[in-house]
């Protein structure tokens, strides 16, 4: 398995993974090819996002994890503050259970820290919480969210 930072040339395969990870009602709204065009345009406008991907041999991509780097308000002596958020982690079902997701999340978290992020967050489904905990993520009483 190879984990690497995706480039714009990978957008069609990233779109396929995001499309597969969407709810059936969302997939019914737009074909994967139409979505790929929208994703390419969105990614051009959002250079704050990085995609890490997994490939087995020379085959199609089998997993992804997106990383958003968010600038934070500066503080005296610290003008380049950043936070990071891992988003849209997905592994094709037949490759789950082989630590593909863990490797993707670790690569994204490592990249965030290399870019100077002071913290890395993730919003997880219940089943994936133990995976994130094994990777060093922990719940925080200070990190709160408001639902729309």
């Amino acid at each position: 398995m190879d984990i690497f930072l995706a480039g714009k040339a990978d957008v069609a395969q990233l779109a396929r993974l995001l499309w597969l990870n969407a709810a059936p009602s969302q997939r019914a709204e737009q074909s994967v090819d139409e979505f790929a065009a929208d994703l390419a345009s969105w990614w051009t406008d959002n250079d704050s996002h990085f995609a890490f991907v997994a490939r087995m041999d020379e085959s199609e991509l089998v997993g992804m994890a997106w990383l958003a780097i968010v600038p934070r308000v500066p503080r005296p002596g610290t003008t380049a503050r950043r936070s990071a958020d891992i988003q849209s982690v997905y592994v094709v079902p037949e490759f789950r259970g082989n630590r593909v997701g863990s490797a993707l999340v670790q690569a994204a978290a490592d990249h965030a820290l290399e870019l100077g992020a002071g913290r890395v967050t993730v919003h997880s489904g219940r089943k994936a919480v133990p995976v994130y905990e094994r990777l060093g993520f922990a719940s925080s009483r200070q990190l709160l969210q408001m639902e729309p």
Side-chain angles (χ1 to χ4, degrees):
M1 167 180 55
D2 291 319
I3 304 292
F4 59 94
L5 187 59
K8 305 297 185 194
D10 300 305
V11 75
Q13 289 191 64
L14 283 163
R16 180 184 68 85
L17 293 174
L18 285 162
W19 193 84
L20 289 170
N21 193 32
S25 61
Q26 292 172 316
R27 290 193 305 260
E29 293 288 322
Q30 190 174 34
S31 74
V32 69
D33 292 331
E34 292 169 331
F35 177 63
D38 286 348
L39 178 63
S41 177
W42 174 87
W43 202 4
T44 297
D45 294 340
N46 290 278
D47 61 358
S48 58
H49 285 68
F50 302 86
F52 288 83
V53 292
R55 177 176 278 133
M56 299 293 189
D57 306 318
E58 295 298 318
S59 63
E60 290 185 343
L61 302 181
V62 299
M64 68 179 172
W66 286 81
L67 173 67
I69 300 293
V70 181
R72 297 189 67 211
V73 175
R75 295 278 175 98
T78 310
T79 58
R81 297 173 69 214
R82 293 184 180 97
S83 290
D85 187 49
I86 294 176
Q87 306 172 349
S88 299
V89 177
Y90 176 76
V91 176
V92 174
E94 52 267 28
F95 292 95
R96 292 179 186 161
N98 295 313
R99 302 197 48 84
V100 174
S102 294
L104 286 163
V105 170
Q106 189 66 61
D110 289 347
H111 191 71
L113 297 174
E114 288 168 14
L115 293 175
R119 73 170 143 239
V120 181
T121 60
V122 65
H123 180 96
S124 175
R126 269 189 224 142
K127 286 175 58 176
V129 168
V131 173
Y132 291 109
E133 289 175 336
R134 278 194 303 275
L135 293 171
F137 287 82
S139 296
S140 169
R141 294 183 64 123
Q142 292 82 24
L143 187 60
L144 307 170
Q145 69 180 18
M146 179 186 290
E147 298 284 335

